[in-house]
Amino acid sequence: MKFLSKRGYLTKAFNRRWVYKKYDRFFNSLETTDRIKVTLVDINQFKQINDHYGHEVGDRAICEVAENQSR
């Protein structure tokens, strides 16, 4: 439960709730030379993918977007 409370079920990426909760503490602890990458993604018109192609295809689309963002 703890894992799923901060990560997405399909992608295992940290979810928006976790980012918002940890944002201030995390960014205030960084050194000026640290490099990080944070990406919040919203898939526009995603409901249309699920409605037209089905949830299985929608799930694959979410995983593909998450995988491409982690590169």
Side-chain angles (χ1 to χ4, degrees):
M1 286 304 255
K2 186 175 182 178
F3 181 85
L4 291 176
S5 72
K6 59 185 173 182
R7 293 184 179 258
Y9 173 76
L10 291 173
T11 65
K12 310 301 186 262
F14 285 110
N15 60 29
R16 180 180 60 187
R17 184 181 329 117
W18 183 89
V19 172
Y20 289 160
K21 182 177 179 182
K22 301 292 184 175
Y23 179 86
D24 287 333
R25 186 174 68 169
F26 178 74
F27 285 100
N28 289 332
S29 70
L30 293 175
E31 299 293 327
T32 56
T33 57
D34 290 337
R35 298 179 72 176
I36 63 162
K37 178 181 178 181
V38 175
T39 306
L40 295 177
V41 177
D42 179 31
I43 304 173
N44 291 331
Q45 308 300 320
F46 181 73
K47 183 179 182 315
Q48 292 178 353
I49 293 172
N50 277 341
D51 289 351
H52 187 64
Y53 299 104
H55 291 277
E56 186 176 323
V57 172
D59 289 352
R60 287 196 312 250
I62 289 171
C63 290
E64 183 71 26
V65 169
E67 183 178 320
N68 287 325
Q69 292 301 312
S70 66
R71 293 181 188 170

